[in-house]
Amino acid sequence: MSARGEGYPRRMKTSQKTDDRDTGANLTSPVMAAFKVFQQELDTKHDKHERLVKLSRDITIESKRTIFLLHRVTSVPDVEEVLTEADLKLDGVRLNIRMIAEELRGEDLHQFHRAFTPGIQEYVEAVSFHHFIRHRTLISLEEINTKLVFVKEPEDTPEGQQPMGTPQVLTFQVTPTDYLLGVADLTGELMRMCISSVGNGDMDTPFQVSMFLRQIHDGFSYIGNTGPYEVSKKLHTLRQSLSKVEDACYTLKVRGSEIPKHMLADVFSSRTAMMDQDEGMA
């Protein structure tokens, strides 16, 4: 045992000297040079990923603010004024999407997709909510992507000289999965608008929303389990929103004449809370 104890430190010293020599030799080796390149590429990718995550957060925040603004249409006399203000906010959101398009120029979109998909889904939800309020229809994926084509003008040149270069076109394409997930989230906002409109004496909107949600539900049902996993998860939430809107329509149709209009919103809110409790217990 003592011989082993004396020999062990000597082996460590020999190994340490060998490591020192190897380290000095590896600094100029082709392998080290290759790994330096790999390090720079990974650092660049991680920095780009962090910038995309930040842009996605900004898009999410501004899109949510647009949705909150659009919910005011049930309580204001001039709906077009609210929609115009929402248009301006959505233009600001699209500026952030343009910055994402610049970051992704020459890159594989799917390599960074998880970094910005939450913001894009929220944008789809906001722009589809805005479109429904104005047209009472569902905005298509092509219509969304048409507004995400940006023209980058050449940089400013000194006076008297011709501009250098030509305008560049930047495009950002929302993926079908992000579009479907955004539309699925839209159903929750429509359910809230339905309840709010009843409280303000609007008896037509709940039935319009109910018919619209049935059409969306039928479309998602055709996809079923054949689509992306995230889409099938959203189907349960969609069914909950549809059930609450249908319950509100049933109450309006059967008991609407019995309940004063100023109390309808409270009745629907309490029934919605009871349905949420029942679903939680189930």
Side-chain angles (χ1 to χ4, degrees), residues 182-254:
V183 171
D185 291 334
L186 167 68
T187 59
E189 302 304 331
L190 293 177
M191 183 268 296
R192 296 181 186 92
M193 187 182 75
C194 169
I195 303 302
S196 300
S197 62
V198 172
N200 290 282
D202 183 1
M203 303 303 171
D204 297 327
T205 297
F207 295 96
Q208 295 174 358
V209 171
S210 176
M211 184 179 300
F212 181 72
L213 289 183
R214 287 194 198 101
Q215 294 174 350
I216 293 182
H217 177 267
D218 291 343
F220 273 84
S221 298
Y222 286 131
I223 298 174
N225 295 326
T226 61
Y229 172 69
E230 296 87 352
V231 174
S232 60
K233 286 174 57 180
K234 296 282 188 178
L235 186 58
H236 176 66
T237 305
L238 193 159
R239 286 171 177 161
Q240 287 180 330
S241 300
L242 175 59
S243 176
K244 293 172 184 177
V245 172
E246 287 181 337
D247 182 74
C249 292
Y250 168 80
T251 304
L252 279 176
K253 201 71 174 177
V254 176

Side-chain angles (χ1 to χ4, degrees), residues 40-102:
Q40 293 175 358
E41 291 178 354
L42 287 174
D43 289 343
T44 302
K45 177 183 176 182
H46 291 158
D47 292 342
K48 186 183 293 291
H49 183 275
E50 290 301 318
R51 291 194 298 270
L52 290 172
V53 169
K54 184 180 183 303
L55 288 171
S56 177
R57 290 172 183 162
D58 294 340
I59 292 172
T60 300
I61 292 172
E62 291 303 319
S63 297
K64 286 183 179 296
R65 289 174 178 170
T66 304
I67 292 172
F68 295 153
L69 171 66
L70 289 171
H71 275 294
R72 290 172 48 198
V73 298
T74 60
S75 58
V76 297
D78 190 355
V79 175
E80 194 60 34
E81 182 180 353
V82 176
L83 293 176
T84 302
E85 185 178 351
D87 275 326
L88 297 176
K89 285 185 174 293
L90 290 174
D91 288 339
V93 175
R94 282 188 277 268
L95 290 178
N96 284 326
I97 297 179
R98 173 177 177 167
M99 296 173 67
I100 291 181
E102 292 178 351

Side-chain angles (χ1 to χ4, degrees), residues 100-162:
I100 291 181
E102 292 178 351
E103 291 284 354
L104 294 176
R105 186 192 304 172
E107 301 283 356
D108 181 8
L109 180 144
H110 298 284
Q111 191 175 16
F112 299 95
H113 183 247
R114 291 178 65 88
F116 59 82
T117 180
I120 298 303
Q121 293 175 28
E122 199 70 32
Y123 167 74
V124 171
E125 181 182 356
V127 75
S128 58
F129 191 29
H130 179 278
H131 188 273
F132 174 81
I133 293 173
R134 175 166 282 169
H135 302 288
R136 288 298 193 262
T137 58
L138 178 64
I139 190 171
S140 66
L141 178 60
E142 290 75 17
E143 290 176 284
I144 292 178
N145 286 331
T146 300
K147 295 184 178 180
L148 299 181
V149 178
F150 312 101
V151 178
K152 184 178 182 181
E153 298 293 340
E155 297 181 357
D156 296 335
T157 55
E159 186 177 355
Q161 297 183 10
Q162 294 183 352

Side-chain angles (χ1 to χ4, degrees), residues 240 244 269 271-281:
Q240 287 180 330
K244 293 172 184 177
S269 298
R271 288 178 65 87
T272 302
M274 292 176 60
M275 293 174 66
D276 290 338
Q277 291 178 359
D278 293 339
E279 290 166 359
M281 294 176 62

